[in-house]
Amino acid sequence: MISKYQKIVEDAFKKEDRVCSYEVDGNKVYVKKREKQKKLRHIFQEILQKITREPMLIPSVLSASENEILFESNKIKGLEEQGVSVPHVLEITENYFIMSNTGESLKNYVNDQIEKQKIKDKHKQGVFKEGYVQRALDTLIKLHSTGNAQGGCQIRNFTIKNEVISLIDFEESIPKQHMKTFQKRDFLLLVLSLQRSGFNPDLKKLSNYYIANTEYKTLYSELREFLLKFKWLYFLEWKIFKKIRMKDVRDFLLIIKMAEEKGE
């Protein structure tokens, strides 16, 4: 039997984009294809972890013999069965899978709503953003409650449709023995991405929200201990490094300072 998605799949494989969107029967769907090569960031992360032996930097990529399409699509299906808000998988093959639309980027939605509702006051903007960040955390907490982690969680991995916040992208292969470490990494990467995206997150406040809704009561103290190991990077704030200092580095330094100033 010919799949009703055959035409869009054929078109998707003519494009360079790994993920392509289409409309089928009035509904938006996405075709996700196999990746051609290992990402550079994964190679760098692997080298850095070997040097530092830091568990938070453990690489989470599949082995060369594993099929990332089958891995991710089946993981998404399993998470949906456990009640996590994720895309619904519509079709799977070894070379692609098709999934439902879970809406637009949460980051873009929040910023658009602030503009549409004409929220000019900076404090009110912060309160508005914080409300959606807490709801995104609720989705992450639900994922973690199933004994899973996203692996590289950032604000761009959250979508919203009809006020339902979902998580997308589950390509990371996480060793079960390091699941708690990866859940901690999820939280930290989300906070870093919020800082990078102009949400001005409060590390301790968000940590307290997570702790209040989970059994992970040592999250903040563990994060603080991890972050303070990198205080030596403060030298990058010297004027001599101003022109070459990357925004990611600046944001990381801000989060370290936040952990240092807020205390235990």
Side-chain angles (χ1 to χ4, degrees):
M1 183 178 176
I2 297 175
S3 166
K4 68 176 180 179
Y5 302 112
Q6 183 176 348
K7 287 186 178 179
I8 65 170
V9 169
E10 289 175 355
D11 184 73
F13 275 88
K14 293 175 184 177
K15 298 179 178 179
E16 288 295 319
D17 295 334
R18 191 181 174 209
V19 181
C20 306
S21 65
Y22 297 92
E23 189 167 305
V24 179
D25 297 335
N27 296 307
K28 192 174 186 179
V29 300
Y30 290 90
V31 179
K32 188 166 188 176
K33 302 176 289 185
R34 290 199 72 172
E35 194 164 40
K36 294 179 181 178
Q37 58 187 6
K38 198 174 186 179
K39 292 178 181 176
L40 184 61
R41 69 176 177 86
H42 286 141
I43 297 171
F44 175 73
Q45 185 181 337
E46 191 173 347
I47 295 169
L48 192 60
Q49 200 278 326
K50 285 180 179 178
I51 295 170
T52 64
R53 298 191 179 279
E54 169 56 57
M56 286 275 278
L57 299 175
I58 293 170
S60 51
V61 290
L62 293 170
S63 66
S65 62
E66 293 179 281
N67 184 309
E68 75 276 9
I69 286 294
L70 296 179
F71 173 84
E72 182 179 8
S73 56
N74 284 311
K75 185 170 184 178
I76 291 172
K77 287 179 69 176
L79 291 173
E80 184 181 23
E81 289 170 1
Q82 295 178 82
V84 182
S85 185
V86 292
H88 177 64
V89 177
L90 301 164
E91 184 170 290
I92 305 172
T93 74
E94 290 187 353
N95 295 313
Y96 70 87
F97 73 91
I98 301 172
M99 57 187 158
S100 66
N101 171 40
T102 54
E104 64 181 299
S105 153
L106 177 62
K107 172 191 167 183
N108 293 344
Y109 175 82
V110 170
N111 289 330
D112 288 347
Q113 287 300 309
I114 286 173
E115 189 174 335
K116 286 178 182 177
Q117 296 181 34
K118 297 180 180 178
I119 305 173
K120 304 293 185 183
D121 182 79
K122 292 294 183 183
H123 175 71
K124 289 181 179 178
Q125 286 182 7
V127 172
F128 185 83
K129 288 179 177 180
E130 186 178 300
Y132 279 97
V133 169
Q134 287 186 348
R135 289 177 57 195
L137 265 182
D138 288 336
T139 301
L140 183 62
I141 287 167
K142 176 62 179 178
L143 170 69
H144 289 177
S145 74
T146 67
N148 287 285
Q150 205 272 349
C153 190
Q154 299 189 48
I155 188 63
R156 68 167 181 254
N157 300 121
F158 291 87
T159 59
I160 184 167
K161 182 180 181 183
N162 300 326
E163 288 300 308
V164 175
I165 296 177
S166 301
L167 263 169
I168 59 172
D169 292 336
F170 291 92
E171 302 175 356
E172 310 292 327
S173 177
I174 301 165
K176 286 293 182 184
Q177 67 270 30
H178 296 299
M179 190 58 69
K180 207 71 177 175
T181 296
F182 274 79
Q183 291 176 349
K184 179 169 59 179
R185 187 163 98 180
D186 274 352
F187 182 89
L188 179 58
L189 289 176
L190 175 58
V191 172
L192 285 168
S193 72
L194 288 168
Q195 179 65 40
R196 188 165 57 248
S197 299
F199 277 63
N200 301 317
D202 184 320
L203 176 65
K204 193 165 188 179
K205 191 173 183 179
L206 291 177
S207 296
N208 287 339
Y209 183 85
Y210 184 98
I211 288 167
N213 290 281
T214 69
E215 297 300 316
Y216 198 170
K217 304 307 180 186
T218 57
L219 172 72
Y220 179 72
S221 59
E222 290 179 23
L223 277 176
R224 188 171 185 273
E225 182 182 357
F226 169 78
L227 288 165
L228 294 184
K229 288 179 185 177
F230 295 90
K231 284 172 60 177
W232 60 272
L233 288 173
Y234 283 165
F235 78 90
L236 291 172
E237 293 188 314
W238 297 348
K239 286 185 179 180
I240 192 172
F241 295 107
K242 188 174 181 180
K243 290 185 178 180
I244 61 172
R245 193 167 62 236
M246 295 180 291
K247 190 174 188 304
D248 284 357
V249 174
R250 291 199 303 270
D251 293 334
F252 187 57
L253 293 175
L254 282 171
I255 298 298
I256 296 172
K257 283 187 175 181
M258 201 181 295
E260 187 176 18
E261 291 168 4
K262 292 284 184 179
E264 295 182 7

